[in-house]
Amino acid sequence: MSAIYGAIDLNGRNIDEKLPEKFDKQYEKCKIDRYGHILDKNVYMSCGIQYFYKRAEREKLPIYDAESNIYFTADCVIDNRKELIPELGLTDAAADGDIIFAAYKKWGKECASHLQGLFAFVVYDAAKNEVYAAVDQFAQRCLFYHVRDGVFYFSTLFFPIPRATGLKFKENERWLVDAISLCSAATITESVETALSGLNKIESGEYIIVKCAANKDYIVNSERYYDPNKSIPTDWSMTLNQSVDIVKKTMFSVMEKILHEQDFVAAELSSGLDSSTVTCIAAQILGKKNKKVFSYTSVPLKEAEIKNKKYIIYDETEGVNIIADAYDNIEPTFVDCKDRHYLYETEDIVESWELPCKSQQNAVWIDEIARMAAERGAKIILSGSTGNTTLSAGDIVDGAYYYMKKLNFPKAFRILDAYKEVGISKKRILKIMAKDIINYYKWYFVPSMRDCYKDNITRSDIGEKYNLSARFRKRSMHYFPFKDMKTIRSQMYISDANAQLGELDTASSLKYGILLRDPMRTVEFLNVCFTIPIYCFTNEDYARRLVRAGMDGVVPEKIRKNKFARGRQSGDNTYRLKIAWPAVRAKWMKLTHTPQILKYLDEKKLEDYISRVDGKFETVEYYDAFLISNL
């Protein structure tokens, strides 16, 4: 992997020879193993290479190919090397950058559809005076760009473009309004724009072409090369046994590729199904080589005295130890992030993440685990962060609703019988389901349910300047309570989510020199998930059945068959807020009470939220502390 950045003047003017030094300065805090540069008249390309895989040591980037008059640089880890190398006439000694460059020369703009892995790359065809740039199917590696006066600027990170070039940008008010208005971990509502108008990024599964138009203006055309919702049909003939077999086979196949050249890996591990699956499969594969998996688990501070509830697990130590006991090559570390609180570290984390940070209560432990794993010497850290929409998708009520729509009520009732295990009758569940449907339609008639300002502190005047209510009501506030096949498929691949996750992963990898790999965020695995019908995701034997049935023999039974308990990280958030509040309050008041910030925030609501917490920590509700941490 790499950090890539540079500038290409499509008017043919020489690039300022001081620009490389200015760009390099913006990346000097990053964990880069080696730099490469090209500065040739109107072309400047840089590549800061990181050695996450041994083959990266063979990278020779950027590339200028005199025969074709093409310049090329890339940030890449290619997973389907084995298939591509013979097809492209290369040898096993080829670096991943060599593979992409050969693919471009063979397939041109269609090359991205042949690649699997993590990548972002830029090609300048001097003969055509044309830029081609692409990112991987999940935008796991970012590529920001800006075109001004015929110059195409690009960068893996966001801040280097305005800071290195000295170009002035306007705030993207619409983007910022959306960022502060979303009452969830989401920060963005679309995947191309950024906080600065005109400074954009390439969307997951797309490439762009930049060239001169007839009127000498410069145009950017984007094309989608990957869209599983349109290209992969559901296989309604698939049986339950076939679905779990193909999922298990594919998970092992993907993990073998991720772990290639890796003898020492870290893993984010909770007692949940997704991270357990990832860690256990890695342990099986690495165990054959007598190698370990070093797992890291976020746990509450002991002094917070947080107690697990019947079905909410705040401290996942017991579950993680069950997993570690099943595999002697899993070595667990429990991370309590003592003396850290996000709201006191706001400026540092936003600077390194390059995004307004939502889900702040999780920000610190994510950062701490990456730091600890990197310091231990790991080059990759495994995660199951997208498992909820792929491997472990499928709730009980979703399965019941599917069969109710088919008028197969006996089957639907058998699925609902699972709730008997927790003392909930079918009659009660049916009442809850009916109420959810009523509330869905009630939304159309009750104004308070459609108030997109009730749980945020956005000023309504600037919000409505950008039609916030009209845009958010359908997109972010009104979802049918049960998922059908179309909904499950749509949630597997969301460009907005891809963009946000990719930005965070890219920034973290450059900060600490450790690469996050999620096997569920791969083309090979996602393509399989798109073929699986809804009755295989949830049925009368299991909800989330692909993982519960599919990982038999992989995940310990006590974890795999725990149907109702869910882990909840950062359960000590209220306690941490109490301890840090004096310092946090002073810093927060200073940061938020400025004309630039109050242009977006309702000051009265801001003060009201503070008063809910101020001096009332013994009675403060978890939800209020959550809101304070997510403003």
Side-chain angles (χ1 to χ4, degrees), residues 240-252:
L240 299 182
N241 288 337
Q242 286 172 337
S243 69
V244 297
D245 288 345
I246 194 172
V247 162
K248 178 181 283 190
K249 180 181 178 181
T250 306
M251 278 293 295
F252 272 89

Side-chain angles (χ1 to χ4, degrees), residues 91-203:
T91 69
D92 289 342
D96 289 343
D98 298 329
I99 291 173
I100 297 180
F101 189 50
Y104 175 77
K105 289 198 291 185
K106 179 170 183 174
W107 292 302
K109 67 179 183 179
E110 302 304 323
C111 67
S113 62
H114 294 264
L115 305 171
Q116 293 183 25
L118 295 76
F119 57 82
F121 61 91
V122 175
V123 177
Y124 174 57
D125 188 324
K128 296 180 181 177
N129 195 31
E130 179 179 283
V131 171
Y132 170 89
V135 299
D136 66 71
Q137 293 86 344
F138 300 90
Q140 293 176 90
R141 302 304 290 183
C142 295
L143 192 60
F144 295 92
Y145 69 91
H146 176 67
V147 183
R148 188 177 301 191
D149 298 329
V151 183
F152 175 79
Y153 301 95
F154 64 94
S155 172
T156 296
L157 294 178
F158 172 79
F159 287 133
I161 290 180
R163 291 175 177 173
T165 65
L167 296 172
K168 302 300 180 184
F169 292 85
K170 292 182 179 179
E171 286 182 4
N172 186 343
E173 287 187 348
R174 199 272 319 148
W175 190 96
L176 291 165
V177 163
D178 287 3
I180 64 171
S181 301
L182 289 163
C183 296
S184 69
T187 300
I188 60 177
T189 56
E190 62 83 51
S191 49
V192 174
E193 295 182 16
T194 70
L196 296 179
S197 294
L199 205 173
N200 295 332
K201 59 182 179 290
I202 302 177
E203 189 171 351

Side-chain angles (χ1 to χ4, degrees), residues 75-94:
D75 168 14
C76 54
V77 165
I78 299 301
D79 289 336
N80 60 332
R81 289 174 52 89
K82 186 176 180 181
E83 297 80 10
L84 289 174
I85 283 174
E87 191 169 4
L88 295 170
L90 301 174
T91 69
D92 289 342

Side-chain angles (χ1 to χ4, degrees), residues 48-88:
I49 300 170
Q50 296 179 291
Y51 297 158
F52 296 132
Y53 288 82
K54 294 176 183 176
R55 58 185 181 266
E57 298 178 19
R58 303 194 296 272
E59 292 283 12
K60 295 179 181 179
L61 293 166
I63 293 171
Y64 172 63
D65 182 58
E67 182 180 353
S68 59
N69 203 13
I70 290 175
Y71 297 81
F72 169 82
T73 192
D75 168 14
C76 54
V77 165
I78 299 301
D79 289 336
N80 60 332
R81 289 174 52 89
K82 186 176 180 181
E83 297 80 10
L84 289 174
I85 283 174
E87 191 169 4
L88 295 170

Side-chain angles (χ1 to χ4, degrees), residues 453-472:
Y453 299 97
K454 63 182 178 181
D455 289 326
N456 60 45
I457 57 173
T458 307
R459 281 178 51 172
S460 59
D461 56 342
I462 195 168
E464 292 314 297
K465 177 181 176 182
Y466 296 100
N467 301 312
L468 189 70
S469 294
R471 291 187 298 106
F472 269 36

Side-chain angles (χ1 to χ4, degrees), residues 282-424:
Q284 286 196 13
I285 293 172
L286 291 176
K288 296 174 182 178
K289 299 190 291 184
N290 295 317
K291 302 297 181 181
K292 288 186 176 182
V293 178
F294 295 88
S295 71
Y296 294 84
T297 305
S298 170
V299 294
L301 292 163
K302 288 184 179 178
E303 54 265 37
E305 298 182 345
I306 302 296
K307 305 296 183 184
N308 292 336
K309 298 181 180 179
K310 190 173 184 180
Y311 300 114
I312 300 177
I313 310 300
Y314 295 110
D315 185 345
E316 301 189 76
T317 300
E318 180 182 355
V320 168
N321 282 332
I322 290 171
I323 296 165
D325 288 343
Y327 291 92
D328 58 11
N329 64 328
I330 295 177
E331 185 174 311
T333 298
F334 299 96
V335 181
D336 66 7
C337 301
K338 189 174 178 61
D339 299 323
R340 294 192 67 178
H341 191 283
Y342 169 79
L343 289 175
Y344 192 72
E345 302 178 35
T346 300
E347 293 161 296
D348 292 338
I349 291 183
V350 169
E351 173 74 18
S352 64
W353 282 16
E354 299 193 322
L355 278 171
C357 180
K358 298 297 189 75
S359 190
Q360 285 100 325
Q361 69 274 15
N362 295 330
V364 167
W365 67 257
I366 292 171
D367 183 79
E368 184 74 1
I369 286 174
R371 181 190 66 79
M372 292 175 68
E375 287 184 354
R376 199 169 196 169
K379 290 298 184 181
I380 68 170
I381 183 166
L382 302 171
S383 168
S385 60
T386 58
N388 282 337
T389 58
T390 52
L391 178 66
S392 64
D395 293 331
I396 293 172
V397 291
D398 298 336
Y401 185 72
Y402 168 75
Y403 284 106
M404 286 178 183
K405 287 198 302 180
K406 296 176 75 68
L407 303 181
N408 189 344
F409 293 102
K411 179 80 169 181
F413 292 160
R414 287 198 298 272
I415 290 175
L416 292 177
D417 279 340
Y419 282 106
K420 288 181 179 178
E421 297 179 29
V422 290
I424 302 176

